[in-house]
Amino acid sequence: MSIWKQDISLEALNAQLRNTLAETLDIRCEEVGDDYLKGSMVVDSRTHQPYGILHGGASVALAETLGSIAASLTCGEGLGCVGLEINANHIRKVESGRVYGTATPSHIGRTTQVWDIKICDEAGKTTCVSRITMAIIPRP
């Protein structure tokens, strides 16, 4: 059974990313399952650090984007969410291509949510693991 409380289309999710940091970093929503959201991000000069590898902050931007979108999709009528805390462990370097993140819920509560985001390279090897905590708030 699906955890989502809103109708979801990849086209609508990706349209929300226009004119944001996500568009600059070529972050895309790729797949929505019953209890996960998958997305991807380019690894090129836009997301490199000075040594020519994926910048850890770019990985965090992908994780926060996916976790925030997923959390918002579980909110009921009149509710939204904002980030409280995010952390990341950078496991393996990536020099080019795309990385793929999957956000899955660890906790979906009335006032907070916790989402785990695992980021992998094109070969499926883990490059980063992240966790974001979201506060659920009334939407104006």
Side-chain angles (χ1 to χ4, degrees):
M1 183 155 89
S2 178
I3 63 172
W4 314 119
K5 294 185 178 177
Q6 300 176 31
D7 291 331
I8 303 168
S9 79
L10 289 176
E11 295 78 21
L13 294 178
N14 285 313
Q16 290 179 346
L17 300 179
R18 289 190 194 114
N19 299 313
T20 69
L21 175 67
E23 182 177 50
T24 301
L25 301 180
D26 194 15
I27 293 174
R28 306 172 191 165
C29 293
E30 304 276 358
E31 180 182 340
V32 180
D34 284 344
D35 63 352
Y36 66 88
L37 173 66
K38 288 186 179 183
S40 69
M41 180 180 66
V42 70
V43 180
D44 65 11
S45 62
R46 291 171 282 182
T47 56
H48 279 166
Q49 47 108 303
Y51 297 113
I53 60 175
L54 180 60
H55 193 292
S59 294
V60 172
L62 173 61
E64 183 154 2
T65 299
L66 295 175
S68 295
I69 291 171
S72 70
L73 294 172
T74 67
C75 290
E77 183 77 24
L79 297 174
C81 58
V82 293
L84 287 175
E85 189 272 343
I86 189 165
N87 66 59
N89 296 99
H90 307 291
I91 310 296
R92 177 177 282 107
K93 72 177 181 175
V94 182
E95 296 175 344
S96 63
R98 290 192 79 79
V99 288
Y100 298 86
T102 303
T104 56
S106 179
H107 164 73
I108 299 177
R110 186 177 51 81
T111 60
T112 62
Q113 295 185 18
V114 179
W115 288 80
D116 296 312
I117 303 93
K118 181 178 179 183
I119 301 174
C120 298
D121 63 16
E122 291 175 323
K125 294 181 179 177
T126 302
T127 64
C128 178
V129 291
S130 181
R131 176 175 281 186
I132 188 168
T133 303
M134 305 295 293
I136 308 307
I137 60 170
R139 190 179 300 173

